[in-house]
Amino acid sequence: MAIKAVLFDLDDTLLWDDRSVEEAFSATCRAAADKTGVDAALLEQEVRREARALYESYETFPFTKMIGINPFEGLWARFEKGEQEEFRKLQSLAPEYRKQSWTRGLLALGIDNEVLGAELAERFPAERRARPYVYEETFRILDQLKGKYKLLLLTNGSPDLQQEKLAGVPEIAPYFDHIVISGQFGEGKPAASIFRHALSLLDIAPEEGVMVGDKLTTDIIGGNGAGLTTVWINRHHLSHDDEIIPAHIIASLEELPALVANL
């Protein structure tokens, strides 16, 4: 059966989110280093560790895990949208979470300065918002696919944050016939329900669709379970075990059009 639709993940598939986050951490930690003499790289390491531990301690953690919102998104998300009660809890928790993550990171390096922690907690979101990166090939590949296939964006995350990411690169959204955000839908990848919803929107059978993404544990395992042809974009040449096996592996989106055309 011929391929009729291509489903794309967003973060680190089309948007270069890792680079955005890494540069935001670097800029924020350098600002702290200028004021205190602290090692910027060590501060980033400690803040990441403290943020992760604090994030996992909240009662909202099972929900964020199910929706697919990671601790570092929590460091700049506002959580202003989303119908579930958990989003209101996250909205309430977010300011103190940001402040405590940075304050505790500083304290781990011997700097007890809550005022600076609060300052850095506000600086990081600004630094992240200033860096909406896309991969060099993203638009070139979307141009090649648009019109030949139905296109659907299937992304995990908080509704307002994912919409903000898309607003930061406004050229992306018009390529897609549908955009599905886990926080709006109520469940995230790899849940079968969100893939069934996507297939219903596209009005295709599973064998008529291709799922493209960078994460084995969400994009690929979920796509496999839904019966889609899965394409793992493995830019960093990571290894994988035999538990999650993508149908195809590519190192760049440049390989995608020819691959889909030959399916």
Side-chain angles (χ1 to χ4, degrees), residues 59-194:
E59 64 174 341
T60 50
F61 178 61
F63 175 77
T64 55
K65 188 175 182 181
M66 182 266 290
I67 293 295
I69 308 167
N70 69 54
F72 312 123
E73 289 177 316
L75 288 176
W76 68 289
R78 296 189 176 102
F79 301 115
E80 293 172 341
K81 296 183 180 179
E83 295 181 2
Q84 296 91 334
E85 178 187 350
E86 287 86 353
F87 280 118
R88 303 292 72 74
K89 293 178 181 178
L90 287 164
Q91 185 179 11
S92 177
L93 285 168
E96 188 65 16
Y97 166 65
R98 292 194 295 268
K99 177 181 173 182
Q100 287 300 318
S101 295
W102 285 95
T103 299
R104 293 182 185 191
L106 288 167
L107 190 58
L109 298 179
I111 299 169
D112 187 359
N113 190 333
E114 192 169 319
V115 172
L116 179 58
E119 180 184 319
L120 298 174
E122 295 308 311
R123 178 160 187 153
F124 178 83
E127 296 287 0
R128 172 57 186 83
R129 289 187 167 92
R131 293 168 169 81
Y133 294 125
V134 297
Y135 291 101
E136 181 183 354
E137 70 271 20
T138 291
F139 294 117
R140 186 163 58 250
I141 298 312
L142 290 175
D143 280 332
Q144 292 181 41
L145 297 175
K146 183 69 174 175
K148 296 180 181 177
Y149 309 95
K150 296 179 182 179
L151 301 180
L152 183 144
L153 190 63
L154 185 59
T155 177
N156 278 357
S158 173
D160 57 329
L161 191 62
Q162 297 311 99
Q163 288 167 358
E164 185 175 355
K165 290 177 185 178
L166 288 169
V169 188
E171 300 89 348
I172 286 185
Y175 282 97
F176 291 92
D177 301 286
H178 305 280
I179 296 175
V180 179
I181 299 172
S182 66
Q184 286 178 329
F185 176 72
E187 199 166 11
K189 298 175 288 185
S193 60
I194 197 168

Side-chain angles (χ1 to χ4, degrees), residues 221-246:
I221 195 172
N224 284 347
L228 292 156
T229 299
T230 52
V231 178
W232 181 34
I233 181 160
N234 183 17
R235 291 186 174 92
H236 305 293
H237 306 288
L238 303 174
S239 60
H240 68 95
D241 56 33
D242 293 334
E243 291 186 15
I244 306 174
I245 303 176

